[in-house]
Amino acid sequence: MKKNLLFVLCLLLSASGLYAQPKAPDAEYIKANYQKYEYQIPMRDGKKLFTSVYVPKDQSKKYPFMMDRTPYSVAPYGTELYKGSLGPSSLFTHDGYIFVYQDVRGRWMSEGIYEEMTPEKEDHKTNKDVDEGTDTYDTIDWLLKNIPNNNGKVGVWGISYPGFYTTTVLLSRHPALAAASPQAPIADLYRDDAFHNGAFMLVANFGFYPGFTNRQDDKPTQRRGGRFDAGTEDGYEFFLKMGSVKNSNTKYYKDTIRLWNEMLDHPNYDQHWKDRNVLYHLHDIKTAVLVTGGWYDAEDLYGAINTYKTLVKENPKTRFTLPWGHGYTAVGHVVKEII
């Protein structure tokens, strides 16, 4: 059995650091051994999703795909600019895969309007019935047909918000999807990141949305979100002076951040939140899945545990695994051996 592969990834990337490419030991290796391409892949409703593809220059054999779908940008943009690392770890980079990075619908360079935790649909009767599952299906189908020397298999990984998109990859139910690893995934936005046991996570969300909000329309952009300046390093003092949560708008945001307003408009677990609970849809899954999480995860412990429990309950004949860690996650033989 091949050894497990360990890699270190942040649970949540800050928008302010998306373009900074760290000096990675594999940077020169990647430039020497991979060719980068960029595509706008068409979805069934006509929208196009920006996708970076790194293909091994050695075309003497066929390669599986390793894909990461993210709302945090696939930067750097431009076929002449390369990531300093590829895949979950350096071991994947040197083994050779076709690495795929995609800006999800409505984010960064992809078309469409962004919806937080896109509501998934059980039925897709027309080309207008789209969600992350259909976007993934259309992406995989396009890759298989248009990227030479692929072996017809796809593996997907992602952490935190990309972990949610890895879970929704399962809903594509594409026959080429061989393995997936949602890591510290959001499953139910209300319970994972918005309200814990009914208590609004004010500090975490207040600091998150200004940087995350780099666009609110359907126009692709490389523009980053803005960093909020609280004017003090004393968080207790800042929120004490702010007063009630409604003052976040009257004093600071001025009703300019749509996703923040959606949270404030739905303080109870109503249909808005139920539509953003992916657990209801995790049936008829035949893909091998490795879910990871950590007992002390301040945000997404609910997502990791309940994604795993739901998958096991609803899909008793499929292989699922749940290892644990905090701050570090592992994607091992479940993904690597299969693809």
Side-chain angles (χ1 to χ4, degrees):
M1 180 177 291
K2 296 183 180 179
K3 60 184 178 182
N4 287 351
L5 304 177
L6 302 180
F7 66 95
V8 180
L9 290 170
C10 295
L11 291 180
L12 188 60
L13 299 177
S14 68
S16 61
L18 288 170
Y19 287 110
Q21 292 300 305
K23 211 169 183 183
D26 283 331
E28 292 305 317
Y29 178 88
I30 291 168
K31 288 183 179 179
N33 291 276
Y34 287 86
Q35 186 66 48
K36 181 184 178 184
Y37 301 92
E38 294 181 339
Y39 304 99
Q40 287 281 9
I41 298 181
M43 301 294 104
R44 64 190 64 187
D45 66 343
K47 299 298 182 183
K48 296 178 181 178
L49 304 190
F50 186 91
T51 310
S52 295
V53 181
Y54 294 78
V55 179
K57 291 181 179 178
D58 178 5
Q59 294 287 286
S60 64
K61 60 180 180 180
K62 296 182 181 298
Y63 300 92
F65 291 103
M66 280 291 291
M67 182 163 67
D68 180 26
R69 304 188 69 241
T70 179
Y72 294 129
S73 172
V74 303
Y77 297 100
T79 55
E80 74 285 357
L81 299 176
Y82 283 62
K83 286 182 175 292
S85 61
L86 292 177
S89 79
S90 179
L91 297 177
F92 281 78
T93 304
H94 289 266
D95 272 358
Y97 290 84
I98 300 171
F99 293 100
V100 178
Y101 295 88
Q102 185 175 75
D103 286 336
V104 297
R105 181 181 291 253
R107 292 292 292 164
W108 298 87
M109 289 294 288
S110 287
E111 296 178 350
I113 296 292
Y114 181 74
E115 286 195 73
E116 191 155 36
M117 291 277 292
T118 311
E120 297 297 307
K121 305 176 187 297
E122 280 295 309
D123 298 311
H124 305 89
K125 297 178 180 178
T126 74
N127 286 344
K128 299 298 182 182
D129 295 321
V130 296
D131 52 27
E132 300 305 331
T134 63
D135 282 355
T136 303
Y137 189 99
D138 295 345
T139 297
I140 291 175
D141 236 33
W142 190 95
L143 292 169
L144 293 172
K145 295 171 182 176
N146 291 277
I147 304 301
N149 282 3
N150 72 78
N151 74 351
K153 291 185 177 182
V154 181
V156 184
W157 88 100
I159 295 177
S160 192
Y161 220 144
F164 159 73
Y165 290 102
T166 304
T167 301
T168 59
V169 159
L170 301 172
L171 305 183
S172 74
R173 300 180 178 88
H174 197 290
L177 183 62
S181 183
Q183 314 205 359
I186 311 171
D188 180 338
L189 185 59
Y190 185 90
R191 292 184 172 96
D192 277 313
D193 284 289
F195 296 81
H196 281 193
N197 295 319
F200 182 47
M201 293 184 69
L202 172 61
V203 176
N205 286 296
F206 187 86
F208 174 76
Y209 282 101
F212 187 72
T213 305
N214 66 327
R215 61 178 268 204
Q216 301 188 86
D217 53 30
D218 61 351
K219 297 176 176 57
T221 184
Q222 295 180 34
R223 180 182 64 251
R224 305 185 212 181
R227 183 180 294 222
F228 179 78
D229 183 6
T232 177
E233 294 183 359
D234 188 332
Y236 180 82
E237 178 190 25
F238 173 80
F239 287 108
L240 184 65
K241 289 182 176 180
M242 185 179 80
S244 67
V245 176
K246 73 174 183 178
N247 289 338
S248 62
N249 271 321
T250 56
K251 290 185 177 182
Y252 303 110
Y253 294 162
K254 309 298 183 182
D255 283 316
T256 60
I257 301 180
R258 172 173 56 88
L259 299 181
W260 173 258
N261 286 346
E262 286 182 3
M263 300 191 98
L264 301 190
D265 289 343
H266 300 277
N268 301 314
Y269 194 71
D270 58 14
Q271 196 60 46
H272 173 84
W273 299 111
K274 292 177 183 178
D275 289 343
R276 286 157 177 79
N277 185 343
V278 72
L279 300 176
Y280 298 133
H281 307 282
L282 296 181
H283 54 80
D284 300 313
I285 305 299
K286 295 180 172 59
T287 304
V289 180
L290 174 71
V291 183
T292 73
W295 287 120
Y296 300 101
D297 190 336
E299 294 174 327
D300 303 321
L301 177 61
Y302 178 92
I305 292 175
N306 287 282
T307 296
Y308 174 76
K309 288 172 63 176
T310 304
L311 286 169
V312 170
K313 179 182 177 181
E314 298 295 330
N315 309 275
K317 296 183 179 179
T318 304
R319 179 183 180 186
F320 305 110
T321 307
L322 179 67
W324 289 92
H326 180 67
Y328 300 90
T329 50
V331 58
H333 61 274
V334 173
V335 173
K336 188 170 174 57
E337 286 187 359
I338 292 173
I339 67 170

